[in-house]
Amino acid sequence: MKRRLDCLKARCKVSWLLQLPEKLVHCLFSSLVEQLIGKCANCPVFPGSYSASLSPGKMFLVGLTGGIASGKSSVIQVFQQLGCAVIDVDVIARHVVQPGYPAHRRIVEVFGTEVLLENGDIDRKVLGDLIFNQPDRRQLLNSITHPEIRKEMMKETFKYFLRGYRYVILDIPLLFETKKLLKYMKHTVVVYCDRDTQLARLMKRNNLNREDAEARINAQLPLKDKARMANHVLDNSGEWSLTRRQVILLHAKLERSMEYLPLRLGFLTGLAGIASLLYLLTRYLLPSS
């Protein structure tokens, strides 16, 4: 493909189309992808461009969260069984700090090699101890990892978009605590259960005494507060069959939404136009072999 492009660049009379700076080409493509989930942040060529947040007609994202022992993982499994696209932000966060990735290199530069395990992976416990009760260091770490997390989220979202999914669920544990991604969500969902149920489940699941279990629950934003901020609440306080039914009904409601169909049709039309142009350039401007 590279040889073909080089040949086209050398022979094509409209070669200016192919002489755009690499940074500009990358930025234009990134902006196209980022338009699916919101603002193009820190654009080096068009600062502040594509700043529109999500609204009807834009990409359809659903932010899902819960609390410790609320049953969020089980709910996610039901959505996946129903064929939904799910992106786990925690998994992405672990992925972007692996050796060889930019965030890994920057973390080592900033915090030193003492945050590394013998195999080169980031020692999450040591790094956590370094930023514990130190807001400046925590903010510095976030400034390194969050842009990389957003990039990976965009890539995954774009893949699902092209595959024709109606909506994409983002599993975000701290959705309401950080509020960083709220502006990108068309819908927000909380997996809720009452405090007594949450406490009993946590004690049983983790084999904790009441004091330790309460301490872990108190360290999080209360589920009742999250429920007040969410568009949809899945109450997992009772029988699992009732919760599963709630998930199925919510999925059906979201599937009926046509909110971002115009965007997909417009994008695919534009993609077809670009493909046609490239075909014509290749067909008529390159010498036949």
Side-chain angles (χ1 to χ4, degrees), residues 21-287:
E22 182 178 353
K23 179 181 288 189
L24 175 59
V25 174
H26 174 75
C27 181
L28 290 173
F29 178 75
S30 296
S31 297
L32 175 63
V33 176
E34 290 181 357
Q35 180 66 6
L36 299 176
I37 65 170
K39 183 177 180 180
C40 177
N42 301 321
C43 174
V45 181
F46 303 120
S49 64
Y50 299 100
S51 60
S53 60
L54 292 170
S55 59
K58 300 286 186 178
M59 171 57 80
F60 186 178
L61 298 180
V62 178
L64 187 145
T65 191
I68 188 170
S70 70
K72 179 172 66 72
S73 298
S74 298
V75 166
I76 286 290
Q77 289 179 3
V78 177
F79 275 115
Q80 291 174 326
Q81 291 166 4
L82 293 171
C84 298
V86 178
I87 298 174
D88 189 328
V89 176
D90 271 356
V91 171
I92 291 177
R94 291 191 293 269
H95 175 75
V96 299
V97 297
Q98 290 180 344
Y101 287 84
H104 181 278
R105 183 177 64 254
R106 286 286 296 128
I107 288 172
V108 175
E109 290 175 355
V110 171
F111 295 97
T113 56
E114 61 267 26
V115 301
L116 294 179
L117 295 169
E118 291 184 2
N119 62 0
D121 289 342
I122 298 293
D123 188 326
R124 299 171 68 87
K125 184 180 184 305
V126 171
L127 184 58
D129 291 340
L130 286 176
I131 65 174
F132 184 71
N133 286 335
Q134 297 194 49
D136 291 343
R137 284 197 163 195
R138 181 181 295 276
Q139 185 175 0
L140 180 58
L141 177 62
N142 290 341
S143 70
I144 295 172
T145 59
H146 286 182
E148 299 302 318
I149 292 171
R150 284 195 292 268
K151 288 178 185 177
E152 290 299 318
M153 284 172 50
M154 285 186 288
K155 291 178 185 178
E156 293 300 313
T157 301
F158 192 58
K159 291 177 186 176
Y160 286 126
F161 173 79
L162 291 178
R163 291 168 61 184
Y165 281 85
R166 184 81 68 196
Y167 65 93
V168 178
I169 296 173
L170 276 74
D171 177 2
I172 309 173
L174 300 179
L175 177 62
F176 293 112
E177 287 87 341
T178 64
K179 296 182 171 61
K180 295 290 186 181
L181 298 174
L182 268 178
K183 62 183 177 181
Y184 302 130
M185 303 300 132
K186 179 62 183 175
H187 297 271
T188 53
V189 182
V190 165
V191 181
Y192 170 85
C193 67
D194 62 73
R195 184 178 174 87
D196 289 341
T197 301
Q198 185 182 22
L199 182 61
R201 288 175 178 168
L202 181 58
M203 292 172 62
K204 181 179 179 180
R205 188 190 72 183
N206 291 25
N207 194 27
L208 297 174
N209 60 44
R210 186 181 186 89
E211 183 180 356
D212 290 341
E214 286 182 337
R216 296 197 182 192
I217 292 174
N218 291 336
Q220 298 183 343
L221 184 67
L223 280 172
K224 62 181 181 180
D225 292 346
K226 294 184 181 183
R228 282 197 291 264
M229 292 185 279
N231 303 128
H232 309 277
V233 177
L234 299 173
D235 190 346
N236 190 33
S237 301
E239 295 293 329
W240 172 243
S241 60
L242 298 177
T243 303
R244 180 179 174 83
R245 176 172 172 78
Q246 293 176 61
V247 176
I248 293 172
L249 290 175
L250 177 58
H251 170 61
K253 180 179 180 180
L254 296 175
E255 273 290 295
R256 286 194 298 269
S257 172
M258 302 296 286
E259 287 172 319
Y260 81 127
L261 184 59
L263 175 63
R264 180 185 289 138
L265 292 176
F267 175 79
L268 293 179
T269 300
L271 192 62
I274 294 173
S276 299
L277 176 61
L278 290 176
Y279 172 78
L280 290 174
L281 288 173
T282 304
R283 177 70 176 79
Y284 293 105
L285 298 178
L286 286 179

